[in-house]
């Protein structure tokens, strides 16, 4: 009955792992050839694959896991999806309903363990609940602010036979996803931004989730307002656009931070305004007279920054409602945009080109030349993530996927696999450090088994690079437990898994290795031995305000 | 009442997870429950919670907003600062049969025996507090006290 319900919801692909408490579902799986199942090598991998599948393709990712350890292995993946508002359905097996609470074999309180990292969850103890629960779960996961929903199904329910009656209609009295725009507020927001002398717009993941990029671009151009994005909002506004401020936050571009810190009106669209965006909260955007916050989740209003104008609505609807109310622009606007252009000149992104080591930026720039805007880049967490965010020029939505909120190491490889399943027509590149890569490297088997065209760019600096950088600069220079000299030979590891791989140690070898990766059908890994001292710039020292960003050394 | 306490009336769907979801969201957002009363509402399958919650460092309206995000929560009314009826119930055992002073305050005697007397009293939080002071003078053996239940005044 579970599988029929999934087919009814339009599911085509499931990432999962069988075990004692979900065997009845797996017994019936071969009878449903329309449901393709990907056997993962660890449940965390399934959750990240479903996550990447959802982020790249827009459809909710579906995960199966058994009870106890199987379900608990999903927790990190659920949290990753929850923090970044990614729609996902996790179906976990639970012990028989008569065994619940008796510490049965592989029993665990999965609802209890996952409540804080799911949008909603259900424990199903009776077969008659099942059609309604599955239908509701998909609705909740995909509407409003999306998120993961977990359905824990007792084994006896999985085995029960009942007439499969599709639920007629949804009735969830406690679930009221926002969407309608308060027109008066939209008008007030448009007037405040239009009449501002120094406006700035920041765009987050909500803009991508609501497909509001076009509306944002039109609004920004009409309002002549510069637009920056959060890490997760990358793609919401073209980086090469004259009004682009590129990425904001404590590793954002210098000209973005200057603009934010000098703005008089700041409009934040589809974002949570978290500590990585604000740095020291008390000093965030100190000259702003009017904060405008647009988000579909009302609880984001004033959670971190108290807006003067709140618009609790879908980003696209809000921007469209605002557009006709834009007044004649402030006359000082030209001066402001000229000032931003000057800051862009003064604070360019830069890096050390020629210190004898291979630089990660050189690798990414070569990648960009090949792919332009025709590839999906999935980054892991750490330095590799920020380099990939800053050194590519993402002009379209959905091209850059990463674990922004949860910062989950090990995300990239399985998420890239999921993204490739969702968008087989697009090249998929996985950018990871060696530290995060080995956390989920077992999923290479999945890439090989399905001969997925996933190109793995390993930025290998023999250490936990971001932690090392923090230790060097913010923790008294004490390098503690960051050395990763003892790692597998990644070329041999790839061979063992059954995929081709090469090692690159110097600049001249980047292009031939990339050529080989592009020529090769199926997965390919390049172990780039990069500068072990390479750092991420700009960066705002921990606990400091956005004004105090550090840039790459001048001679770089 | 201290400034950082919110009084909320919350209508929820009955279910095995409802109470843990409500308390979970309060805990992980850094709030703190000062009192909680739960009972069935007039609608079948739904209960009404009356909560007194300390919102800690968060903005005051975060308590209501975070509770509203829960699918189990049908409706949240923030009654802080509103004109309300607020009632707490106390049941106490005192070691004496001389309870005229308590009865005078409005207590009802539930039983009396050789080990003492059991009384009940309902009233506003402050009145219940005064009643407890009076009980102490009578020698409390045991006491059980509800959190407040609160309703907006009709006029």
């Amino acid at each position: 009955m579970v599988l029929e319900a999934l087919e009814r919801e339009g599911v085509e692909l499931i990432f999962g792992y069988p075990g004692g408490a979900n065997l009845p579902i797996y017994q019936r799986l071969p009878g449903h050839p329309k449901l393709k199942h990907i056997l993962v090598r660890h449940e965390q991998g399934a959750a990240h694959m479903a996550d990447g599948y959802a982020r790249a393709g827009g459809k909710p990712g579906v995960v199966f896991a058994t009870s106890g350890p199987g379900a608990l292995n999903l927790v990190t993946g659920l949290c990753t999806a929850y923090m970044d508002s990614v729609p996902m359905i996790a179906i976990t097996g639970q012990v028989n309903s008569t065994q619940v609470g008796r510490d049965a074999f592989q029993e665990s309180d999965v609802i209890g363990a996952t409540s804080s990292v799911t949008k909603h969850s259900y424990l199903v103890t009776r077969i008659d609940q099942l059609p309604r629960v599955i239908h509701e779960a998909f609705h909740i996961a995909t509407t409003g602010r999306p998120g993961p929903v977990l359905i824990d199904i007792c084994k006896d329910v999985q085995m029960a036979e009942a007439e499969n009656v599709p639920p007629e209609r949804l009735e969830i009295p406690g679930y009221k996803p926002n969407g309608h725009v308060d027109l008066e507020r939209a008008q007030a927001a448009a007037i405040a931004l239009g009449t501002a002398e120094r406006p700035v717009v920041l765009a987050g993941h909500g803009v991508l989730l609501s497909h509001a990029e076009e509306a944002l671009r039109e609004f920004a151009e009409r309002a002549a307002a510069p637009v920056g994005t959060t890490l997760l909002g990358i793609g919401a506004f073209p980086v090469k656009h004259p009004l682009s401020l590129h990425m904001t936050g404590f590793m954002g571009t210098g000209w973005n931070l200057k603009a934010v810190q000098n703005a008089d009106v700041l409009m934040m669209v589809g974002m949570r305004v978290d500590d990585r965006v604000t740095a020291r909260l008390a000093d965030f955007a100190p000259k702003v007279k009017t904060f405008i916050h647009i988000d579909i989740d009302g609880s984001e209003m004033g959670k971190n920054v108290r807006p003067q104008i709140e618009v609790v609505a879908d980003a696209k609807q809000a921007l469209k409602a605002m557009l006709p109310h834009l007044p004649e622009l402030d006359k000082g606007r030209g001066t402001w945009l000229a000032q931003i252009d000057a800051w862009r000149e003064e604070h360019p992104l830069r890096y050390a080109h020629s210190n004898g080591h291979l630089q990660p930026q050189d690798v990414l720039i070569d990648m960009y030349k090949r792919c332009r805007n025709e590839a999906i880049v999935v980054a892991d967490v750490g330095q590799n993530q920020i380099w990939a965010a800053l050194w590519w020029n993402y002009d379209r939505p959905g091209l850059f996927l990463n674990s922004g909120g949860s910062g989950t190491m090990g995300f990239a490889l399985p998420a890239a696999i999921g993204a490739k399943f969702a968008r087989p027509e697009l090249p998929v590149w996985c950018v990871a450090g060696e530290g995060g890569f080995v956390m989920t490297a077992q999923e290479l088997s999945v890439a090989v088994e399905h001969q997925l065209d996933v190109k793995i760019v390993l930025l290998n600096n023999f250490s936990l690079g971001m932690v090392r950088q923090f230790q060097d600069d913010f923790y008294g220079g004490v390098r503690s437990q960051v050395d990763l000299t003892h790692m597998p030979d990644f070329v041999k590891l790839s061979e063992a898994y059954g995929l081709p791989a090469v090692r690159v140690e110097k600049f001249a070898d980047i292009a031939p290795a990339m050529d080989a990766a592009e020529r090769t059908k199926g997965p390919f890994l390049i172990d780039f031995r990069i500068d072990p001292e390479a750092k991420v710039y700009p960066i705002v020292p921990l606990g400091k305000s956005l004004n105090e960003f550090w840039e790459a050394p001048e001679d770089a | 009442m201290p400034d950082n306490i919110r009084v909320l009336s919350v209508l929820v769907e009955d279910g095995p997870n409802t109470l843990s979801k409500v308390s979970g969201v309060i805990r992980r957002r850094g709030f703190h429950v000062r009192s909680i009363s739960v009972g069935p509402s007039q609608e079948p399958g739904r209960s009404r919670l009356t909560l007194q919650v300390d919102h800690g460092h968060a903005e005051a309206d975060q308590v209501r907003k975070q509770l509203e995000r829960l699918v189990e929560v049908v409706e949240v009314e923030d009654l802080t600062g509103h004109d309300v009826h607020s009632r707490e119930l106390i049941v106490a055992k005192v070691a004496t049969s001389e309870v005229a002073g308590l009865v005078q305050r409005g207590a009802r005697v539930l039983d009396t025996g050789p080990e003492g007397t059991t009384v009940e009293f309902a009233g506003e939080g402050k009145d219940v507090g005064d009643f407890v002071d009076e009980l102490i003078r009578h020698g409390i053996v045991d006491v059980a006290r509800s959190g407040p239940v609160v309703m907006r005044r009709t006029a």
Side-chain angles (χ1 to χ4, degrees):
Chain A
M1 185 176 299
V2 174
L3 300 170
E4 283 91 24
L6 292 181
E7 283 174 343
R8 210 154 45 222
E9 300 296 334
V11 173
E12 293 164 36
L13 199 61
I14 299 158
F15 303 94
Y17 209 95
N22 64 2
L23 281 172
I25 295 176
Y26 276 93
Q27 183 187 358
R28 290 168 173 81
L29 191 60
H32 294 263
K34 275 193 271 176
L35 294 172
K36 184 173 176 186
H37 181 276
I38 307 302
L39 176 64
V40 300
R41 300 303 185 263
H42 185 286
E43 289 87 350
Q44 184 185 348
H48 292 326
M49 283 180 208
D51 182 321
Y53 177 81
R55 289 189 207 224
K59 281 177 67 175
V62 179
V63 178
F64 283 178
T66 189
S67 65
L72 294 177
N73 280 343
L74 295 177
V75 173
T76 307
L78 289 169
C79 181
T80 306
Y82 180 68
M83 289 290 275
D84 291 350
S85 309
V86 177
M88 190 191 290
I89 302 288
I91 295 180
T92 48
Q94 182 55 276
V95 299
N96 284 327
S97 59
T98 51
Q99 290 288 320
V100 169
R102 297 173 193 253
D103 293 335
F105 175 67
Q106 289 191 332
E107 180 188 356
S108 69
D109 173 14
V110 174
I111 300 284
T114 58
S115 279
S116 64
V117 293
T118 48
K119 185 174 175 185
H120 192 47
S121 53
Y122 298 91
L123 173 64
V124 182
T125 54
R126 295 197 326 263
I127 184 77
D128 61 308
Q129 301 166 330
L130 202 54
R132 174 185 61 81
V133 162
I134 291 182
H135 192 44
E136 277 185 19
F138 275 86
H139 178 68
I140 291 172
T142 54
T143 52
R145 178 179 180 169
V149 176
L150 181 136
I151 310 170
D152 200 25
I153 308 175
C154 289
K155 192 175 178 182
D156 48 346
V157 174
Q158 298 169 34
M159 291 185 285
E161 295 291 342
E163 202 189 342
N164 190 358
V165 188
E168 281 181 10
R169 63 197 168 100
L170 277 164
E171 212 174 322
I172 321 172
Y175 182 65
K176 302 171 215 69
N178 297 301
H180 296 295
V181 187
D182 180 325
L183 291 176
E184 266 179 42
R185 290 188 185 186
Q187 187 173 5
I191 291 170
L193 197 89
T195 55
E197 196 180 316
R198 302 182 309 278
V200 167
V201 177
L202 292 179
H205 196 200
V207 172
L208 301 175
L209 289 168
S210 105
H211 305 292
E213 311 82 21
E214 277 306 312
L216 175 66
R217 186 170 168 161
E218 193 181 357
F219 181 86
E221 286 172 355
R222 284 270 298 279
V227 182
T229 72
T230 64
L231 174 64
L232 280 174
I234 282 177
F237 196 75
V239 173
K240 290 291 189 192
H241 194 286
L243 288 168
S244 170
L245 298 172
H246 210 322
M247 190 171 87
T248 195
F250 94 130
M251 294 178 186
T253 63
W255 69 95
N256 182 308
L257 304 188
K258 285 275 183 185
V260 168
Q261 292 301 85
N262 287 286
D264 63 347
V265 174
L266 181 60
M267 183 166 103
M268 307 168 292
V269 192
M271 56 187 276
R272 301 177 289 128
V273 205
D274 82 340
D275 58 309
R276 288 304 196 244
V277 162
T278 65
R280 189 166 65 213
L281 189 57
D283 299 314
F284 174 64
K287 297 179 183 169
V288 168
K289 293 190 212 76
T290 309
F291 282 103
I292 303 164
H293 196 172
I294 301 170
D295 200 281
I296 200 161
D297 183 348
S299 74
E300 293 299 344
M301 301 295 146
K303 191 177 83 181
N304 296 319
V305 170
R306 168 54 62 190
Q308 279 71 39
I309 302 173
E310 307 183 348
V311 183
V312 180
D314 169 77
K316 189 175 178 174
Q317 289 184 29
L319 289 164
K320 289 198 159 186
M322 286 168 65
L323 190 65
H325 298 291
L326 269 175
E328 206 161 309
L329 304 181
D330 181 272
K331 293 195 172 55
R333 190 61 57 86
T335 319
W336 173 236
L337 295 178
Q339 173 66 71
I340 288 170
D341 289 340
W343 284 327
R344 198 183 280 116
E345 294 292 316
E346 273 169 50
H347 303 282
L349 290 171
R350 57 174 178 238
Y351 66 100
H353 288 274
S354 52
N355 63 357
H357 290 285
L358 185 61
Q359 295 305 316
Q361 292 90 345
D362 287 326
V363 175
L364 293 165
I365 288 167
D366 185 280
M367 246 174 87
Y368 180 66
K369 278 187 203 144
R370 289 159 194 276
C371 308
R372 295 292 160 185
N373 283 311
E374 302 303 326
I376 292 175
V377 178
V378 186
D380 211 68
V381 166
Q383 290 181 319
N384 65 84
Q385 179 183 26
I386 304 299
W387 286 324
L390 289 177
W391 290 94
W392 262 56
N393 294 304
Y394 304 93
D395 279 349
R396 289 198 291 118
L399 295 173
F400 180 56
L401 314 181
N402 73 110
S403 166
S406 166
T408 303
M409 287 175 72
F411 172 80
L413 175 63
I417 290 170
K420 189 67 192 178
F421 276 117
R423 303 292 301 276
E425 77 285 6
L426 278 181
V428 173
W429 293 76
C430 162
V431 176
E434 79 285 8
F437 181 74
V438 297
M439 288 190 177
T440 51
Q442 74 284 347
E443 305 305 338
L444 282 173
S445 295
V446 177
V448 172
E449 180 182 346
H450 299 276
Q451 277 304 298
L452 296 171
D453 243 328
V454 173
K455 311 304 177 196
I456 300 154
V457 171
L458 203 60
L459 299 176
N460 183 353
N461 58 3
F462 312 97
S463 72
L464 293 171
M466 188 70 92
V467 179
R468 168 181 49 74
Q469 180 173 351
F470 278 30
Q471 290 182 345
D472 283 355
D473 293 344
F474 313 135
Y475 291 88
V478 179
R479 288 194 178 180
S480 175
Q481 301 297 316
V482 290
D483 183 84
L484 290 180
T485 313
H486 290 281
M487 279 295 217
D489 176 324
F490 288 105
V491 175
K492 284 187 181 160
L493 181 78
S494 301
E495 276 171 22
Y497 273 105
L499 70 147
V502 294
R503 178 170 302 131
V504 173
E505 289 173 278
K506 50 184 203 288
F507 182 87
D509 295 337
I510 296 175
M514 292 287 197
D515 288 343
E518 285 193 308
R519 266 199 319 270
T520 307
K521 286 271 171 225
F524 194 93
L525 182 144
I526 310 173
D527 176 17
F528 288 102
R529 299 286 178 94
I530 63 162
D531 182 353
E533 300 291 323
K535 287 185 176 180
V536 160
Y537 291 109
I539 187 167
V540 174
L542 298 175
K544 301 284 188 186
S545 85
L546 290 181
N547 290 322
E548 297 163 83
F549 62 89
W550 295 358
E551 294 182 86
E554 280 281 0
D555 57 356
Chain B
M1 193 168 289
D3 286 346
N4 54 345
I5 303 289
R6 307 307 293 180
V7 180
L8 301 146
S9 179
V10 186
L11 188 66
V12 297
E13 299 273 8
D14 292 339
N17 300 320
T18 300
L19 196 56
S20 76
K21 291 252 175 112
V22 168
S23 62
V25 88
I26 289 171
R27 175 186 54 75
R28 70 175 173 273
R29 294 291 171 180
F31 314 146
H32 177 65
V33 175
R34 295 285 291 258
S35 74
I36 181 168
S37 298
V38 196
S41 73
Q42 79 276 21
E43 299 173 51
R46 290 181 180 175
S47 296
R48 185 167 295 282
L49 274 71
T50 308
L51 287 164
Q52 286 185 325
V53 179
D54 183 336
H55 60 79
H57 62 248
E59 290 218 358
D61 63 355
Q62 278 292 311
V63 184
R64 176 180 57 78
K65 288 175 173 176
Q66 293 298 340
L67 287 171
E68 281 175 343
R69 292 178 84 200
L70 295 174
V71 175
E72 291 83 353
V73 169
V74 180
E75 189 181 275
V76 186
E77 196 177 10
D78 191 335
L79 295 169
T80 318
H82 282 93
D83 213 359
V84 293
H85 295 291
S86 174
R87 284 288 181 276
E88 289 181 43
L89 175 70
I90 182 168
V91 178
K93 204 174 278 169
V94 288
T96 171
S97 56
E98 303 294 319
V99 292
L102 297 174
V103 171
Q104 209 166 16
R105 281 180 172 272
R108 205 158 70 84
V109 176
L110 297 179
D111 69 36
T112 182
E115 281 164 31
T117 308
T118 310
V119 294
E120 71 164 31
F121 176 81
E124 295 220 1
K126 186 187 167 302
D127 297 334
V128 173
D130 291 347
F131 186 75
V132 170
D133 292 340
E134 185 70 33
L135 283 171
I136 289 166
R137 285 192 278 280
H138 285 74
I140 301 178
V141 177
D142 203 1
V143 65
R145 187 173 167 176
S146 77
V149 291
V150 177
M151 186 167 287
R152 247 182 222 275
R153 285 175 186 269
T154 36

